[in-house]
Structure formats: structure tokens, C-alpha cells
Amino acid sequence: LLSGCAKVQDGYTTATELVQELKYKGLEMDGVIYGTLISVCASCNQCKEAEKYFNQMKIEGHMPNVFHYSSLLNAYSVDGNYEKADEIFQEMKSAGLVPNKVVLTTLLKVYVRGGLFEKARVLLNELEALGYAEEEMPYCLLMDALSKAGKIDEAKLVFAEMKTRNVRTDGYAYSIMISAFCRYRLLDDAKELASEFEAKYEKYDVVILNTMLCAYCRTGEMESVMNLMKKMDKLAINPDRNTFHILIKYFVKEKLYMLAFKTLQDMHNRGQQPDEDICSNLMFHLGKTGAHSEAYTVYNMLRYSKKPMCKDLHEKVLYILIAGRLYKDAYVVFKDNARLISRPAMKRFSSSFMRFGSINLINDVMKAIHNSGYKIGQGLFSMAITRYIAQPEKKDLLFHLLEWMSGQGYVVDPSTRNLILKNSDIFGRQQTAEILSKQHMMSRTLKTKETSR
């Protein structure tokens, strides 16, 4: 159970709970449990706690073995604490313990994370002399640290040495160097190394494939990108979140917006959570190229995800939907996020909807605008009533709007009132007169209140 804590989120807390339960049941700690605890601490970035358990173990009379020292060194590697690492390494040798491959490789990790590249280089030579550098891991540690420190030429030398010695690789060394070349915009080198790996090796995983994909995308090698995707399918390697992000960014850069959209859909269908910035950028380009419905689909992917989305995206998609005359969808976005929509955007939406939106939703839109805290202007009411007058069969909706206006303290202006009266024979003279009478009384009441102020 304790060993499993090293592999789960917040594993250190769970491990301490297990230790408390152990003590509660009257069971004693031993060297195995202490060693496992130190290992958990190292995996969970709890360096001070690892030290505490290591010292407590010695106080209780348990002698540290190679595993204990290796786990504590791993804890020091988190922040590159090479001073303490050297101290514990010397203590280990003084105790008569012989450092093995794991201990020396872990010490190398401490040195590279602490920026001691010369010491790391000497230690790598020692690993080579002992026959502990037959696989790529020690080289990868040093190359990765050198490249991230901007020492790309030194990283290349280590990589060249590794190849000269025919060190066994699973592709991680290539992945590190290709990523480094991309990072420093040495794109031709990245492409060349990706091609070399493809030609020499047949063993792939999603990490190396993503790295190669990134190199080809950065250099605009469309054919290589497509061939690599076919290879992933053939080898039944499932793309991860990074794979999809690389492809979507590339397709957007190449202005293949619909291909980017389909890739995003595939990502979503596989249960992968897309990055908001990538979605926002794709939404913008889809909207610009007239793919308004697709842009709205991207918005909904974010909207129904578990993560909270940026408030600006609601207004961004609202403008896209208005441009595409998708007024029903625009109404849904406005209604659900009205208080996050700016006044200019609200005016653009409301005036566009009154002119071109579904007449059956006009009253709902009016209520949504009112409920959002905005005061509706006479111009908007005039546009709505003009729409109703043009379609006499919608007279019930007109009367409903006028009734609602009276209830909320809104009155029609004289010109709109005259327009309604002029068409009273269409809507029914008596009913029209009753509604306008209420409007007139409301108007007089408002004027009286204004005078008394």
C-alpha cells in the first residue's frame, strides 16, 4: 500500500495516514517501511520529510542500505541540492556500501538539476567505465539539462558520443534533441534528426511520435506529418492531448481551419480536454472564414467541459453568431451569460435580433435584456412592434409585449403608438384600444412621478 502512494496524487498524505494506522495497531516500523516512506517522499517532492524519516530510522537503530540512500538522493534531485547529495553519498561510502547503477544515476540527476555540468560529465564517464551507461538514461539526463540551460552545442556533443558508443535507445534521446532543436528554432536539424530516427528505428511510442510530429509541423512538412499520422494508426498508438494540440496548431497555421476543427472534434470524442487558448484561436478563424456553426460547436466543447472558461469567450462567440445570422444560438448565449456581455455587444445583438431573428422569440429576447439589468430603449421596442405589424398573424405576441411593457414600466413613444392605431383594424380595435389605454395611463403615472421629483 505504501509503495502505491508514490504513484498517486497527494500520495504523501495517504502514506502518513497509513503509518498512523500502523502505529495505532501496535505495529513497529522497520527498515523496509522507512525505505518505502523515503521513496514516497522523494516522488511527492517532500525532501525535508525524506530527511526526517531517514534520520529517525537511524535513531531507532535501523541501518540504511543502498535503497535508502538512493531514495534520499532522489529527494535531493528535486531541487538539485548537490551539497547534501554529496554529503549523503560520502556517508554511504564510509558505511562500506558500494554505489550501484541506480545510486550513481540518481547522483547524476542531482548534479544536472543543480547545474553542475562538469561534475555530471565526470560522473557520466565513471558510469561508462563501470558499464552502467549501456542504456540512454544517463545521457538523456545530461542532454536534457544542457539543452534547457541553452548549452545546445554541448548537448549535441553528448548525443554524438552516445551514438558513437552504440548506446541502446528507446527514442528518448532523439526526443530530447529534436525538442531542443525546435525550442531554439534549429528546425532543419530537428527535421533531419526525426527523419534519421524514422529510417533507423521501428520502435515508437506516443512521446517520440509527438516530438517528431512537432518537428515536421514546425518545418511545414505536410507529407511527413500525414505519413507519421498513418504510422500511428498502423501501430495502434493512441494520440494523447499533446498530439492533438500539435496538429491543431499546425493546421491553423496552414489555414486548414476545417481540418483543425475535425481534429478538435476527434480529440473531444476521445474524451480529451482541449486547451482554451487553442479553441479560442480556432473559433476566431472559423468565424472569420464563415464557418460560424463550427465555431459555435467549439464554444460548446469548452462550455460543457469541467474547467471554467474565460468570460470573454461568451461575447466573442456572440459576435460570431450574429455575423452568421445564427440568432437562435446567439439568444441562448446571451440569455445564459447576459451579465457578462458588454453594453455594445448587447446593443449589437438586440438590434440584429429585432431585425432578423425569429419573431417568435422577440418577447423572450426583450425579457432577457431587461433581466440582465439593461434599460430597454424606445428604438428597440419600435423595431419589435414594426415586425409584429408586418405579420398580423402574430398579434397575440404584440399584445403580450405591450402588456409586459406596462407591467415593467415601459411605454411606447408617440410615433409607435400612432403606428399601432393606424393598424388597429388588423389587430382588433377594441383590444388595441384597451392595451393602448393602459399604456397611456402608465405614461401619465410616470410623468406625475417625474413632476413630483
Side-chain angles (χ1 to χ4, degrees):
L1 286 172
L2 280 171
S3 296
C5 292
K7 301 176 183 178
V8 297
Q9 190 175 12
D10 199 24
Y12 173 71
T13 302
T14 307
T16 55
E17 289 170 358
L18 286 170
V19 170
Q20 290 302 318
E21 184 177 343
L22 182 144
K23 291 180 178 178
Y24 176 76
K25 292 183 180 295
L27 300 172
E28 293 184 358
M29 301 278 283
D30 61 16
V32 175
I33 291 175
Y34 273 118
T36 308
L37 268 175
I38 296 166
S39 177
V40 171
C41 291
S43 299
C44 298
N45 298 341
Q46 297 285 339
C47 184
K48 290 184 178 179
E49 296 301 316
E51 279 185 332
K52 184 187 80 173
Y53 285 119
F54 186 82
N55 293 327
Q56 187 176 319
M57 176 186 69
K58 291 195 292 183
I59 290 169
E60 292 181 9
H62 303 291
M63 293 299 294
N65 59 27
V66 173
F67 175 66
H68 297 107
Y69 283 105
S70 175
S71 297
L72 186 56
L73 282 171
N74 198 33
Y76 291 140
S77 74
V78 173
D79 56 0
N81 194 336
Y82 54 85
E83 292 177 346
K84 286 192 174 182
D86 279 339
E87 185 182 314
I88 206 73
F89 183 66
Q90 292 304 321
E91 179 185 314
M92 175 187 169
K93 291 201 292 186
S94 298
L97 296 171
V98 179
N100 61 14
K101 178 180 177 179
V102 174
V103 170
L104 292 173
T105 304
T106 305
L107 185 61
L108 178 68
K109 190 195 300 185
V110 178
Y111 288 158
V112 297
R113 289 188 178 174
L116 300 182
F117 299 124
E118 288 302 320
K119 290 192 75 168
R121 183 71 199 144
V122 171
L123 184 53
L124 179 58
N125 290 334
E126 186 179 338
L127 281 161
E128 290 169 346
L130 292 168
Y132 292 161
E134 294 175 349
E135 296 180 351
E136 64 184 337
M137 184 53 67
Y139 296 94
C140 288
L141 289 170
L142 183 53
M143 283 188 300
D144 190 44
L146 285 168
S147 65
K148 286 177 179 175
K151 299 178 181 292
I152 189 70
D153 290 332
E154 292 181 38
K156 286 170 72 175
L157 288 174
V158 175
F159 182 63
E161 180 184 325
M162 190 194 90
K163 290 202 294 181
T164 301
R165 298 190 179 197
N166 295 317
V167 173
R168 190 161 54 248
T169 176
D170 287 325
Y172 296 109
Y174 278 85
S175 179
I176 287 167
M177 290 309 299
I178 293 168
S179 295
F181 288 145
C182 288
R183 191 181 306 123
Y184 294 102
R185 302 201 62 77
L186 300 170
L187 303 181
D188 289 337
D189 289 336
K191 182 181 69 173
E192 183 181 335
L193 199 55
S195 299
E196 179 185 316
F197 183 84
E198 279 199 271
K200 283 187 176 181
Y201 302 96
E202 294 182 356
K203 186 176 181 179
Y204 294 89
D205 64 12
V206 72
V207 175
I208 183 63
L209 283 168
N210 282 347
T211 307
M212 294 165 66
L213 197 61
C214 187
Y216 290 142
C217 288
R218 294 283 291 272
T219 53
E221 297 288 327
M222 175 66 80
E223 186 177 349
S224 297
V225 170
M226 294 306 175
N227 287 337
L228 210 54
M229 290 170 67
K230 289 176 184 175
K231 188 168 287 186
M232 290 184 78
D233 289 338
K234 183 179 177 181
L235 297 172
I237 297 174
N238 289 322
D240 63 7
R241 189 167 181 262
N242 195 30
T243 313
F244 285 112
H245 281 172
I246 292 167
L247 289 171
I248 294 167
K249 286 179 182 178
Y250 173 59
F251 293 145
V252 169
K253 187 182 79 170
E254 295 293 325
K255 300 182 180 179
L256 301 169
Y257 305 124
M258 290 307 297
L259 189 52
F261 170 69
K262 289 177 181 177
T263 305
L264 181 66
Q265 276 189 313
D266 186 21
M267 179 184 186
H268 185 259
N269 292 337
R270 290 171 185 256
Q272 305 257 10
Q273 178 64 43
D275 180 79
E276 185 178 289
D277 289 339
I278 289 175
C279 288
S280 177
N281 188 38
L282 180 56
M283 269 174 54
F284 171 77
H285 288 293
L286 288 169
K288 280 285 187 182
T289 54
H292 307 101
S293 180
E294 287 78 6
Y296 185 51
T297 300
V298 175
Y299 166 80
N300 280 326
M301 287 180 193
L302 287 173
R303 181 185 173 202
Y304 293 113
S305 67
K306 295 177 182 178
K307 294 182 179 179
M309 61 191 293
C310 176
K311 296 176 182 178
D312 293 341
L313 283 177
H314 304 300
E315 188 166 309
K316 187 174 184 177
V317 78
L318 184 65
Y319 277 118
I320 290 172
L321 294 171
I322 293 169
R325 297 201 170 191
L326 299 173
Y327 296 111
K328 187 175 181 180
D329 295 326
Y331 164 60
V332 171
V333 172
F334 179 82
K335 181 183 66 173
D336 292 345
N337 309 282
R339 295 190 179 277
L340 303 175
I341 305 297
S342 68
R343 191 167 185 81
M346 185 278 295
K347 284 184 175 181
R348 176 81 173 274
F349 160 71
S350 56
S351 61
S352 296
F353 196 98
M354 291 308 136
R355 288 198 299 271
F356 307 112
S358 170
I359 194 169
N360 296 323
L361 290 174
I362 283 177
N363 291 355
D364 294 315
V365 170
M366 287 292 191
K367 291 173 184 177
I369 295 169
H370 176 79
N371 292 335
S372 71
Y374 288 116
K375 186 74 174 175
I376 303 173
Q378 284 294 331
L380 215 55
F381 283 123
S382 177
M383 291 169 67
I385 292 168
T386 302
R387 285 281 304 276
Y388 286 132
I389 289 172
Q391 296 188 44
E393 68 275 12
K394 301 294 182 181
K395 65 178 182 179
D396 290 341
L397 292 175
L398 170 62
F399 291 137
H400 182 83
L401 176 62
L402 294 171
E403 285 276 5
W404 178 81
M405 288 175 67
S406 299
Q408 303 302 322
Y410 292 108
V411 294
V412 294
D413 62 8
S415 62
T416 306
R417 178 185 176 86
N418 291 336
L419 184 63
I420 295 171
L421 283 171
K422 189 184 294 184
N423 292 276
S424 60
D425 56 326
I426 299 174
F427 298 107
R429 293 182 183 279
Q430 185 176 349
Q431 194 172 4
T432 302
E434 288 175 0
I435 293 292
L436 290 179
S437 175
K438 289 181 182 179
Q439 280 280 306
H440 183 64
M441 289 175 65
M442 175 63 67
S443 178
R444 289 182 63 182
T445 302
L446 290 173
K447 285 180 181 178
T448 302
K449 285 182 179 180
E450 288 176 2
T451 304
S452 62
R453 284 175 187 170

